[in-house]
mmCIF file with all atom_site columns, all heavy atoms in Angstrom:
data_model
loop_
_atom_site.group_PDB
_atom_site.id
_atom_site.type_symbol
_atom_site.label_atom_id
_atom_site.label_alt_id
_atom_site.label_comp_id
_atom_site.label_asym_id
_atom_site.label_entity_id
_atom_site.label_seq_id
_atom_site.pdbx_PDB_ins_code
_atom_site.Cartn_x
_atom_site.Cartn_y
_atom_site.Cartn_z
_atom_site.occupancy
_atom_site.B_iso_or_equiv
_atom_site.pdbx_formal_charge
_atom_site.auth_seq_id
_atom_site.auth_comp_id
_atom_site.auth_asym_id
_atom_site.auth_atom_id
_atom_site.pdbx_PDB_model_num
ATOM 1   N N   . VAL B 1 64  ? -99.314  -102.590 -24.650 1.00 98.00 ? 64  VAL B N   1
ATOM 2   C CA  . VAL B 1 64  ? -100.321 -103.472 -25.193 1.00 98.00 ? 64  VAL B CA  1
ATOM 3   C C   . VAL B 1 64  ? -99.663  -104.749 -25.747 1.00 98.00 ? 64  VAL B C   1
ATOM 4   O O   . VAL B 1 64  ? -99.290  -104.680 -26.918 1.00 98.00 ? 64  VAL B O   1
ATOM 5   C CB  . VAL B 1 64  ? -101.174 -102.728 -26.179 1.00 98.00 ? 64  VAL B CB  1
ATOM 6   C CG1 . VAL B 1 64  ? -102.340 -103.646 -26.641 1.00 98.00 ? 64  VAL B CG1 1
ATOM 7   C CG2 . VAL B 1 64  ? -101.755 -101.451 -25.563 1.00 98.00 ? 64  VAL B CG2 1
ATOM 8   N N   . ASP B 1 88  ? -94.595  -82.016  -30.351 1.00 90.00 ? 88  ASP B N   1
ATOM 9   C CA  . ASP B 1 88  ? -93.937  -82.773  -31.458 1.00 90.00 ? 88  ASP B CA  1
ATOM 10  C C   . ASP B 1 88  ? -95.112  -83.284  -32.246 1.00 90.00 ? 88  ASP B C   1
ATOM 11  O O   . ASP B 1 88  ? -96.320  -83.031  -31.841 1.00 90.00 ? 88  ASP B O   1
ATOM 12  C CB  . ASP B 1 88  ? -93.012  -83.854  -30.941 1.00 90.00 ? 88  ASP B CB  1
ATOM 13  C CG  . ASP B 1 88  ? -91.797  -83.411  -30.275 1.00 90.00 ? 88  ASP B CG  1
ATOM 14  O OD1 . ASP B 1 88  ? -90.865  -82.889  -30.917 1.00 90.00 ? 88  ASP B OD1 1
ATOM 15  O OD2 . ASP B 1 88  ? -91.770  -83.474  -29.052 1.00 90.00 ? 88  ASP B OD2 1
ATOM 16  N N   . SER B 1 100 ? -106.349 -78.501  -30.363 1.00 97.00 ? 100 SER B N   1
ATOM 17  C CA  . SER B 1 100 ? -105.423 -78.266  -31.457 1.00 97.00 ? 100 SER B CA  1
ATOM 18  C C   . SER B 1 100 ? -105.650 -76.890  -32.120 1.00 97.00 ? 100 SER B C   1
ATOM 19  O O   . SER B 1 100 ? -104.701 -76.335  -32.759 1.00 97.00 ? 100 SER B O   1
ATOM 20  C CB  . SER B 1 100 ? -105.494 -79.332  -32.570 1.00 97.00 ? 100 SER B CB  1
ATOM 21  O OG  . SER B 1 100 ? -105.042 -80.530  -32.119 1.00 97.00 ? 100 SER B OG  1
ATOM 22  N N   . PRO B 1 115 ? -94.986  -64.599  -49.218 1.00 94.00 ? 115 PRO B N   1
ATOM 23  C CA  . PRO B 1 115 ? -95.030  -64.069  -50.610 1.00 94.00 ? 115 PRO B CA  1
ATOM 24  C C   . PRO B 1 115 ? -96.287  -64.637  -51.266 1.00 94.00 ? 115 PRO B C   1
ATOM 25  O O   . PRO B 1 115 ? -96.718  -65.740  -51.074 1.00 94.00 ? 115 PRO B O   1
ATOM 26  C CB  . PRO B 1 115 ? -93.775  -64.680  -51.222 1.00 94.00 ? 115 PRO B CB  1
ATOM 27  C CG  . PRO B 1 115 ? -92.859  -64.942  -50.135 1.00 94.00 ? 115 PRO B CG  1
ATOM 28  C CD  . PRO B 1 115 ? -93.733  -65.329  -48.971 1.00 94.00 ? 115 PRO B CD  1
ATOM 29  N N   . GLU B 1 132 ? -110.063 -83.723  -55.956 1.00 96.00 ? 132 GLU B N   1
ATOM 30  C CA  . GLU B 1 132 ? -109.612 -85.063  -56.225 1.00 96.00 ? 132 GLU B CA  1
ATOM 31  C C   . GLU B 1 132 ? -109.615 -85.885  -54.997 1.00 96.00 ? 132 GLU B C   1
ATOM 32  O O   . GLU B 1 132 ? -109.528 -87.146  -55.112 1.00 96.00 ? 132 GLU B O   1
ATOM 33  C CB  . GLU B 1 132 ? -108.194 -85.003  -56.801 1.00 96.00 ? 132 GLU B CB  1
ATOM 34  C CG  . GLU B 1 132 ? -108.090 -84.207  -58.086 1.00 96.00 ? 132 GLU B CG  1
ATOM 35  C CD  . GLU B 1 132 ? -106.693 -84.230  -58.639 1.00 96.00 ? 132 GLU B CD  1
ATOM 36  O OE1 . GLU B 1 132 ? -105.927 -85.120  -58.244 1.00 96.00 ? 132 GLU B OE1 1
ATOM 37  O OE2 . GLU B 1 132 ? -106.360 -83.339  -59.428 1.00 96.00 ? 132 GLU B OE2 1
ATOM 38  N N   . TRP B 1 152 ? -84.266  -82.218  -44.562 1.00 52.00 ? 152 TRP B N   1
ATOM 39  C CA  . TRP B 1 152 ? -85.472  -81.418  -44.437 1.00 52.00 ? 152 TRP B CA  1
ATOM 40  C C   . TRP B 1 152 ? -85.556  -80.344  -45.469 1.00 52.00 ? 152 TRP B C   1
ATOM 41  O O   . TRP B 1 152 ? -86.370  -79.375  -45.327 1.00 52.00 ? 152 TRP B O   1
ATOM 42  C CB  . TRP B 1 152 ? -85.421  -80.707  -43.037 1.00 52.00 ? 152 TRP B CB  1
ATOM 43  C CG  . TRP B 1 152 ? -85.497  -81.772  -41.934 1.00 52.00 ? 152 TRP B CG  1
ATOM 44  C CD1 . TRP B 1 152 ? -84.466  -82.183  -41.097 1.00 52.00 ? 152 TRP B CD1 1
ATOM 45  C CD2 . TRP B 1 152 ? -86.625  -82.466  -41.565 1.00 52.00 ? 152 TRP B CD2 1
ATOM 46  N NE1 . TRP B 1 152 ? -84.909  -83.125  -40.241 1.00 52.00 ? 152 TRP B NE1 1
ATOM 47  C CE2 . TRP B 1 152 ? -86.259  -83.329  -40.429 1.00 52.00 ? 152 TRP B CE2 1
ATOM 48  C CE3 . TRP B 1 152 ? -87.949  -82.462  -41.983 1.00 52.00 ? 152 TRP B CE3 1
ATOM 49  C CZ2 . TRP B 1 152 ? -87.153  -84.146  -39.832 1.00 52.00 ? 152 TRP B CZ2 1
ATOM 50  C CZ3 . TRP B 1 152 ? -88.852  -83.261  -41.367 1.00 52.00 ? 152 TRP B CZ3 1
ATOM 51  C CH2 . TRP B 1 152 ? -88.495  -84.140  -40.339 1.00 52.00 ? 152 TRP B CH2 1
ATOM 52  N N   . VAL B 1 159 ? -93.670  -78.263  -48.696 1.00 93.00 ? 159 VAL B N   1
ATOM 53  C CA  . VAL B 1 159 ? -93.681  -77.140  -47.680 1.00 93.00 ? 159 VAL B CA  1
ATOM 54  C C   . VAL B 1 159 ? -95.130  -76.624  -47.614 1.00 93.00 ? 159 VAL B C   1
ATOM 55  O O   . VAL B 1 159 ? -95.698  -76.401  -46.468 1.00 93.00 ? 159 VAL B O   1
ATOM 56  C CB  . VAL B 1 159 ? -92.723  -76.015  -48.047 1.00 93.00 ? 159 VAL B CB  1
ATOM 57  C CG1 . VAL B 1 159 ? -92.927  -74.806  -47.202 1.00 93.00 ? 159 VAL B CG1 1
ATOM 58  C CG2 . VAL B 1 159 ? -91.295  -76.508  -47.972 1.00 93.00 ? 159 VAL B CG2 1
ATOM 59  N N   . GLY B 1 204 ? -104.860 -73.588  -21.577 1.00 98.00 ? 204 GLY B N   1
ATOM 60  C CA  . GLY B 1 204 ? -103.766 -73.693  -20.497 1.00 98.00 ? 204 GLY B CA  1
ATOM 61  C C   . GLY B 1 204 ? -104.161 -74.693  -19.468 1.00 98.00 ? 204 GLY B C   1
ATOM 62  O O   . GLY B 1 204 ? -103.332 -75.535  -19.099 1.00 98.00 ? 204 GLY B O   1
ATOM 63  N N   . VAL B 1 208 ? -102.161 -78.379  -18.606 1.00 98.00 ? 208 VAL B N   1
ATOM 64  C CA  . VAL B 1 208 ? -101.629 -78.670  -17.255 1.00 98.00 ? 208 VAL B CA  1
ATOM 65  C C   . VAL B 1 208 ? -102.200 -80.011  -16.808 1.00 98.00 ? 208 VAL B C   1
ATOM 66  O O   . VAL B 1 208 ? -101.494 -80.878  -16.406 1.00 98.00 ? 208 VAL B O   1
ATOM 67  C CB  . VAL B 1 208 ? -102.016 -77.449  -16.284 1.00 98.00 ? 208 VAL B CB  1
ATOM 68  C CG1 . VAL B 1 208 ? -101.700 -78.029  -14.841 1.00 98.00 ? 208 VAL B CG1 1
ATOM 69  C CG2 . VAL B 1 208 ? -101.345 -76.302  -16.553 1.00 98.00 ? 208 VAL B CG2 1
ATOM 70  N N   . ILE B 1 223 ? -94.259  -79.134  -17.935 1.00 97.00 ? 223 ILE B N   1
ATOM 71  C CA  . ILE B 1 223 ? -95.645  -78.868  -18.256 1.00 97.00 ? 223 ILE B CA  1
ATOM 72  C C   . ILE B 1 223 ? -95.785  -77.805  -19.234 1.00 97.00 ? 223 ILE B C   1
ATOM 73  O O   . ILE B 1 223 ? -96.467  -77.922  -20.298 1.00 97.00 ? 223 ILE B O   1
ATOM 74  C CB  . ILE B 1 223 ? -96.442  -78.573  -16.966 1.00 97.00 ? 223 ILE B CB  1
ATOM 75  C CG1 . ILE B 1 223 ? -96.375  -79.698  -15.959 1.00 97.00 ? 223 ILE B CG1 1
ATOM 76  C CG2 . ILE B 1 223 ? -97.919  -78.181  -17.349 1.00 97.00 ? 223 ILE B CG2 1
ATOM 77  C CD1 . ILE B 1 223 ? -96.878  -79.249  -14.593 1.00 97.00 ? 223 ILE B CD1 1
ATOM 78  N N   . PHE B 1 282 ? -88.369  -92.183  -27.473 1.00 96.00 ? 282 PHE B N   1
ATOM 79  C CA  . PHE B 1 282 ? -89.433  -91.091  -27.563 1.00 96.00 ? 282 PHE B CA  1
ATOM 80  C C   . PHE B 1 282 ? -90.691  -91.462  -26.773 1.00 96.00 ? 282 PHE B C   1
ATOM 81  O O   . PHE B 1 282 ? -91.719  -90.833  -26.930 1.00 96.00 ? 282 PHE B O   1
ATOM 82  C CB  . PHE B 1 282 ? -89.730  -90.799  -28.970 1.00 96.00 ? 282 PHE B CB  1
ATOM 83  C CG  . PHE B 1 282 ? -88.595  -90.457  -29.777 1.00 96.00 ? 282 PHE B CG  1
ATOM 84  C CD1 . PHE B 1 282 ? -87.943  -91.358  -30.705 1.00 96.00 ? 282 PHE B CD1 1
ATOM 85  C CD2 . PHE B 1 282 ? -88.007  -89.221  -29.689 1.00 96.00 ? 282 PHE B CD2 1
ATOM 86  C CE1 . PHE B 1 282 ? -86.847  -91.078  -31.379 1.00 96.00 ? 282 PHE B CE1 1
ATOM 87  C CE2 . PHE B 1 282 ? -86.811  -88.840  -30.342 1.00 96.00 ? 282 PHE B CE2 1
ATOM 88  C CZ  . PHE B 1 282 ? -86.252  -89.812  -31.283 1.00 96.00 ? 282 PHE B CZ  1
ATOM 89  N N   . ASP B 1 294 ? -83.159  -87.205  -12.261 1.00 98.00 ? 294 ASP B N   1
ATOM 90  C CA  . ASP B 1 294 ? -83.531  -86.801  -10.875 1.00 98.00 ? 294 ASP B CA  1
ATOM 91  C C   . ASP B 1 294 ? -84.322  -87.952  -10.141 1.00 98.00 ? 294 ASP B C   1
ATOM 92  O O   . ASP B 1 294 ? -84.054  -88.142  -8.992  1.00 98.00 ? 294 ASP B O   1
ATOM 93  C CB  . ASP B 1 294 ? -84.423  -85.627  -10.940 1.00 98.00 ? 294 ASP B CB  1
ATOM 94  C CG  . ASP B 1 294 ? -83.588  -84.348  -11.281 1.00 98.00 ? 294 ASP B CG  1
ATOM 95  O OD1 . ASP B 1 294 ? -82.408  -84.442  -11.330 1.00 98.00 ? 294 ASP B OD1 1
ATOM 96  O OD2 . ASP B 1 294 ? -84.228  -83.302  -11.353 1.00 98.00 ? 294 ASP B OD2 1
ATOM 97  N N   . LYS B 1 312 ? -71.451  -93.571  -26.648 1.00 95.00 ? 312 LYS B N   1
ATOM 98  C CA  . LYS B 1 312 ? -71.045  -94.495  -25.686 1.00 95.00 ? 312 LYS B CA  1
ATOM 99  C C   . LYS B 1 312 ? -71.741  -95.873  -25.737 1.00 95.00 ? 312 LYS B C   1
ATOM 100 O O   . LYS B 1 312 ? -71.152  -96.919  -25.478 1.00 95.00 ? 312 LYS B O   1
ATOM 101 C CB  . LYS B 1 312 ? -71.276  -93.867  -24.274 1.00 95.00 ? 312 LYS B CB  1
ATOM 102 C CG  . LYS B 1 312 ? -70.451  -92.637  -23.991 1.00 95.00 ? 312 LYS B CG  1
ATOM 103 C CD  . LYS B 1 312 ? -70.741  -92.044  -22.650 1.00 95.00 ? 312 LYS B CD  1
ATOM 104 C CE  . LYS B 1 312 ? -70.574  -92.992  -21.496 1.00 95.00 ? 312 LYS B CE  1
ATOM 105 N NZ  . LYS B 1 312 ? -70.843  -92.346  -20.235 1.00 95.00 ? 312 LYS B NZ  1
ATOM 106 N N   . LYS B 1 338 ? -84.084  -110.595 -43.265 1.00 96.00 ? 338 LYS B N   1
ATOM 107 C CA  . LYS B 1 338 ? -83.516  -111.778 -42.652 1.00 96.00 ? 338 LYS B CA  1
ATOM 108 C C   . LYS B 1 338 ? -84.257  -112.249 -41.452 1.00 96.00 ? 338 LYS B C   1
ATOM 109 O O   . LYS B 1 338 ? -84.013  -113.278 -40.811 1.00 96.00 ? 338 LYS B O   1
ATOM 110 C CB  . LYS B 1 338 ? -82.048  -111.549 -42.337 1.00 96.00 ? 338 LYS B CB  1
ATOM 111 C CG  . LYS B 1 338 ? -81.111  -111.339 -43.529 1.00 96.00 ? 338 LYS B CG  1
ATOM 112 C CD  . LYS B 1 338 ? -79.653  -111.209 -43.058 1.00 96.00 ? 338 LYS B CD  1
ATOM 113 C CE  . LYS B 1 338 ? -78.771  -111.008 -44.201 1.00 96.00 ? 338 LYS B CE  1
ATOM 114 N NZ  . LYS B 1 338 ? -77.379  -110.840 -43.855 1.00 96.00 ? 338 LYS B NZ  1
ATOM 115 N N   . THR B 1 380 ? -74.196  -109.169 -30.064 1.00 97.00 ? 380 THR B N   1
ATOM 116 C CA  . THR B 1 380 ? -72.843  -108.942 -30.362 1.00 97.00 ? 380 THR B CA  1
ATOM 117 C C   . THR B 1 380 ? -71.995  -108.801 -29.119 1.00 97.00 ? 380 THR B C   1
ATOM 118 O O   . THR B 1 380 ? -70.897  -109.384 -28.939 1.00 97.00 ? 380 THR B O   1
ATOM 119 C CB  . THR B 1 380 ? -72.664  -107.752 -31.281 1.00 97.00 ? 380 THR B CB  1
ATOM 120 O OG1 . THR B 1 380 ? -73.493  -107.951 -32.439 1.00 97.00 ? 380 THR B OG1 1
ATOM 121 C CG2 . THR B 1 380 ? -71.171  -107.504 -31.694 1.00 97.00 ? 380 THR B CG2 1
#
Side-chain angles (χ1 to χ4, degrees):
V64 182
D88 294 285
S100 292
E132 300 180 23
W152 294 107
V159 172
V208 172
I223 299 169
F282 304 104
D294 287 356
K312 293 175 63 177
K338 295 181 179 179
T380 304

